[in-house]
Amino acid sequence: MNESLSHSHWIGKFTDKELTPGEETRLLSQASHNPLLRNELRLDMDINELFDDYDRIQLSETIRKTIRKERGRIIIPAYLKIAASVIILLALSTLTGLIFTFLEHNFQPPELSGNPFLNSQSRGLLCFLPGHSRPSLPSTPLKRRELAQITMSNNPYTPRPEYEFLVGTVTRDISLFVISPLPRVKCRSDSQLKFSWKWLRGPVPVSLEITDNHGRIVLNQVQMTDDSYVLNTRHWARGLYYYKISAGDELVTVGSISMY
Amino acid sequence: MPVFFFQQSYHFLLFPGLRGITSLMILLYSNEWLVKGLAEGRESCVKFIYREYFPMVRSIVSSQNGNLEDAEDIFHDGLIIVFNRLKSEKFTLNSSLKTYLFSVCRNLWRRRLERKYRLLYATDSYVSDLEGCYTQEAEEEEYAEKFRLYKKHFVDLPEFCRMLLSCYIKKMSLEDIACIMNYKDTEYVKARKYYCKNLLRNKILNDPECKQFMNYE
């Protein structure tokens, strides 16, 4: 045991180059007579060389670990994979169909609401699918234009062109300065809207006229001497209205009220 | 999306829409990425290589009287050889990793078979000129096999020996090893190291599988 222990120490020290020259010569002379010692010396050098690269050992460990792990992995048969694929595809297509159906019935973009050609009746690309017929549109452009005008006139939010371009304009007469409301104002249908102004050259009777988008007069207040007026919009229908404020005979400003 | 969709591709023939996903996975695991990952010893790469290329190695081995364990050893040695070559500066990989690994594993298995038959039928009494050619490839293959067998014994060592030798392999200083292993001084660390190496040498010397490498004389 002692001999082998000392041998092992000598071999280790030899490969680690820790022997003195005298000890090294002694060991080599011993090895020249002892083939087993020679074998051990070479094996020790081999071990040192093989285990020199830590990365290689790590890689070897990784490979072994992967092999062990993967050996225990359950391999799913091909027919099960195909079946799973079919089920998942069916589920996905059903889900897509449900989403399309839901969107078709419950969703319409607000910007398309005034356009008769892009309402919920025309289902966009869906109309090309079997079972979806194209909406029956008027046959000639003239008829389609008429239909569009009717549809637009029925819409309470359709702007009125002859007023629309005047919205926000202010007269050159500087006898009255309108403080509120703004030229384009949004207002709830059951709230109050305050109109206020300031006389710049002494009091002048002020008149306020409100029309709907068809040009029908909804309210006409004349000869107001106060510097404000509160409009109660309770029971007013939703839609687009235009107001005109005049000082005496002079039109001061035009604005729009979007009642929602 | 379940992982098993990406493992085999033939059932995508039924659903061409999903083939795009497979293409994406193949793009992710490109040849360059695999080579880089293998050189760095990345586990995900090894896993991918195993899943994709091991069946190929298994078919080489099983077609020539090999079993699953042989295939695993060949796969291990083949990857170690490729790893060693990738680390060498002179080496350039001119083909795909799959092709290269295939040729390495095929040669490895052929040589191993030849050696096995020589041992079985004692035909090593003479060495023909062709068999006597000691090429660099053969040396590398022997090196990889030796490494695997020695490492097997290394793993079988007692826990403290494995830890101690691992510290040596990581080139840690004796003081650090003494501190980690809770030894009193560096001389004791050296003594334990010599003891552990002696243990490892004895294990290797007594292993009949390793006898083939002991032909130093």
Side-chain angles (χ1 to χ4, degrees):
Chain A
M1 177 66 194
N2 276 341
E3 196 188 341
S4 86
L5 192 65
S6 63
H7 255 157
S8 79
H9 273 67
W10 278 66
I11 292 167
K13 280 188 176 179
F14 176 74
T15 45
D16 287 352
K17 295 187 175 60
E18 283 182 355
L19 287 179
T20 59
E23 285 171 334
E24 201 173 311
T25 322
R26 248 179 73 196
L27 181 74
L28 289 174
S29 71
Q30 264 188 33
S32 63
H33 303 298
N34 186 350
L36 287 176
L37 182 60
R38 277 205 298 277
N39 251 358
E40 278 204 56
L41 274 173
R42 280 169 184 162
L43 177 62
D44 200 66
M45 284 155 90
D46 255 4
I47 291 170
N48 272 6
E49 194 192 330
L50 284 169
F51 292 152
D52 188 46
D53 190 353
Y54 186 67
D55 290 344
R56 188 168 49 220
I57 295 173
Q58 282 290 97
L59 178 70
S60 169
E61 275 295 303
T62 314
I63 297 168
R64 281 286 160 210
K65 208 167 80 183
T66 309
I67 289 174
R68 270 198 304 275
K69 252 194 229 169
E70 295 291 312
R71 203 192 280 168
R73 191 169 59 95
I74 301 161
I75 297 167
I76 303 163
Y79 67 88
L80 272 183
K81 286 178 190 172
I82 294 168
S85 305
V86 171
I87 290 166
I88 287 172
L89 279 175
L90 280 175
L92 281 176
S93 46
T94 312
L95 195 68
T96 316
L98 282 173
I99 290 168
F100 265 96
T101 317
F102 175 78
L103 290 179
E104 193 186 331
H105 290 292
N106 298 299
F107 176 73
Q108 187 173 10
E111 65 270 16
L112 302 181
S113 57
N115 191 334
F117 301 109
L118 286 170
N119 59 12
S120 61
Q121 297 297 313
S122 66
R123 296 168 171 89
L125 287 175
L126 282 175
C127 65
F128 292 107
L129 291 175
H132 285 78
S133 57
R134 283 173 67 83
S136 53
L137 293 172
S139 53
T140 61
L142 187 67
K143 284 181 181 171
R144 281 205 288 273
R145 196 178 302 131
E146 278 171 5
L147 177 69
Q149 277 169 356
I150 292 162
T151 316
M152 284 173 84
S153 63
N154 287 337
N155 188 347
Y157 288 100
T158 309
R160 194 170 175 82
E162 57 264 40
Y163 285 162
E164 197 60 33
F165 82 98
L166 283 172
V167 169
T169 53
V170 181
T171 180
R172 275 178 290 181
D173 182 28
I174 52 166
S175 59
L176 190 77
F177 179 73
V178 177
I179 299 167
S180 70
L182 292 169
R184 287 183 196 278
V185 65
K186 283 187 177 181
C187 168
R188 285 182 67 86
S189 60
D190 55 350
S191 66
Q192 291 182 332
L193 183 67
K194 188 179 177 185
F195 289 82
S196 61
W197 49 81
K198 196 176 175 184
W199 287 289
L200 300 174
R201 287 181 191 165
V204 185
V206 177
S207 56
L208 170 69
E209 186 186 294
I210 299 178
T211 56
D212 63 7
N213 67 335
H214 299 297
R216 290 176 294 222
I217 295 170
V218 183
L219 179 108
N220 193 10
Q221 287 284 332
V222 288
Q223 304 293 325
M224 287 188 284
T225 49
D226 294 339
D227 61 352
S228 66
Y229 175 75
V230 177
L231 174 70
N232 193 345
T233 59
R234 204 168 180 190
H235 305 303
W236 279 46
R238 289 173 186 181
L240 189 66
Y241 296 88
Y242 295 95
Y243 67 85
K244 285 189 277 183
I245 296 174
S246 317
D249 297 334
E250 190 76 33
L251 177 67
V252 177
T253 187
V254 175
S256 70
I257 306 166
S258 180
M259 202 81 73
Y260 62 95
Chain B
M1 192 64 65
V3 176
F4 56 76
F5 271 131
F6 309 125
Q7 290 164 9
Q8 299 285 340
S9 50
Y10 53 87
H11 63 281
F12 281 103
L13 293 171
L14 289 171
F15 310 111
L18 292 176
R19 295 187 77 176
I21 302 167
T22 329
S23 318
L24 191 70
M25 293 304 288
I26 290 163
L27 277 178
L28 282 175
Y29 288 91
S30 68
N31 196 46
E32 287 75 25
W33 192 84
L34 279 178
V35 170
K36 196 165 167 264
L38 182 63
E40 288 168 6
R42 216 177 291 155
E43 196 178 340
S44 57
C45 281
V46 174
K47 201 171 174 180
F48 181 83
I49 291 169
Y50 179 85
R51 285 190 175 178
E52 291 296 312
Y53 306 159
F54 180 70
M56 166 189 85
V57 179
R58 196 173 49 199
S59 72
I60 299 169
V61 174
S62 59
S63 65
Q64 292 174 36
N65 306 322
N67 55 24
L68 184 67
E69 280 182 13
D70 290 330
E72 284 171 358
D73 288 346
I74 292 286
F75 177 75
H76 174 276
D77 293 357
L79 273 188
I80 292 289
I81 289 170
V82 175
F83 173 78
N84 286 340
R85 287 183 191 169
L86 286 175
K87 284 198 116 183
S88 119
E89 285 175 5
K90 289 178 217 162
F91 178 75
T92 351
L93 186 65
N94 293 321
S95 62
S96 74
L97 183 69
K98 187 178 182 178
T99 315
Y100 195 72
L101 187 68
F102 176 80
S103 67
V104 167
C105 290
R106 194 186 51 194
N107 290 341
L108 204 61
W109 181 237
R110 211 178 52 200
R111 268 180 231 278
R112 211 158 284 181
L113 271 184
E114 277 171 13
R115 206 170 54 215
K116 196 171 150 187
Y117 283 116
R118 270 211 306 274
L119 285 171
L120 267 177
Y121 300 112
T123 51
D124 56 343
S125 50
Y126 82 96
V127 178
S128 75
D129 287 347
L130 274 173
E131 283 167 345
C133 287
Y134 197 67
T135 59
Q136 196 197 343
E137 277 181 19
E139 192 183 349
E140 278 178 334
E141 284 159 14
E142 191 185 304
Y143 188 84
E145 194 178 356
K146 219 192 280 186
F147 172 72
R148 178 171 48 79
L149 291 171
Y150 289 4
K151 210 188 127 271
K152 190 179 81 183
H153 292 295
F154 175 79
V155 172
D156 287 342
L157 284 175
E159 175 71 32
F160 79 94
C161 274
R162 258 186 293 141
M163 249 180 103
L164 183 66
L165 292 178
S166 297
C167 291
Y168 262 99
I169 293 162
K170 284 182 201 167
K171 297 187 173 50
M172 287 168 76
S173 70
L174 288 173
E175 287 79 16
D176 289 346
I177 298 172
C179 187
I180 289 168
M181 303 292 293
N182 210 9
Y183 290 156
K184 52 189 176 186
D185 58 8
T186 53
E187 281 308 307
Y188 188 65
V189 176
K190 276 186 191 173
R192 296 305 275 174
K193 180 203 166 189
Y194 298 142
Y195 169 75
C196 291
K197 276 188 95 177
N198 191 36
L199 212 63
L200 179 63
R201 272 200 309 274
N202 285 341
K203 272 177 175 285
I204 294 169
L205 285 169
N206 294 328
D207 182 4
E209 251 190 305
C210 298
K211 282 271 192 290
Q212 54 184 309
F213 303 119
M214 301 296 147
N215 52 352
Y216 298 120
E217 293 302 316

